[in-house]
Amino acid sequence: MFYQEFLPAETLFYSVVLASASRREGDPRAAAQVLAYLQENLERAGVLQIGGDETTGKGICLARLFQGKGN
C-alpha cells in the first residue's frame, strides 16, 4: 500500500532554477548550455511530467522559465 495526494489543477508553484556544468561523462556542457537546453526543450514540449504516474496522466504541468535581470 502507498499514499497519494493530488493538488487542485489550479495550483501554482514557482521556484528558482540553477544549473552547473554537466557531470555526465563525455558531456562537456557548461552551466549556460545546460540552461539553454532546458529552456529549448520546455518551449518545444510545453509541458513537464513530474512524479511517477505518467501512465494515468497525473503530474503533467505547464512549465515556463523566465530570466531575471542579472550580471
Side-chain angles (χ1 to χ4, degrees), residues 1 3 8 10 21 24-25 27-28 31 42-43 49 52 60-61:
M1 297 202 109
Y3 178 77
E10 301 83 17
R24 181 183 288 180
E25 190 174 323
D27 187 358
L42 281 177
E43 287 174 1
Q49 197 277 328
I60 296 174
C61 60

Side-chain angles (χ1 to χ4, degrees), residues 54-68:
E54 67 181 311
T55 57
T56 60
K58 301 295 182 192
I60 296 174
C61 60
L62 174 66
R64 294 184 184 157
L65 293 178
F66 295 97
Q67 291 184 350

Side-chain angles (χ1 to χ4, degrees), residues 14-32:
Y14 66 93
S15 178
V16 174
V17 176
L18 303 173
S20 62
S22 175
R23 289 175 272 180
R24 181 183 288 180
E25 190 174 323
D27 187 358
R29 283 187 267 201

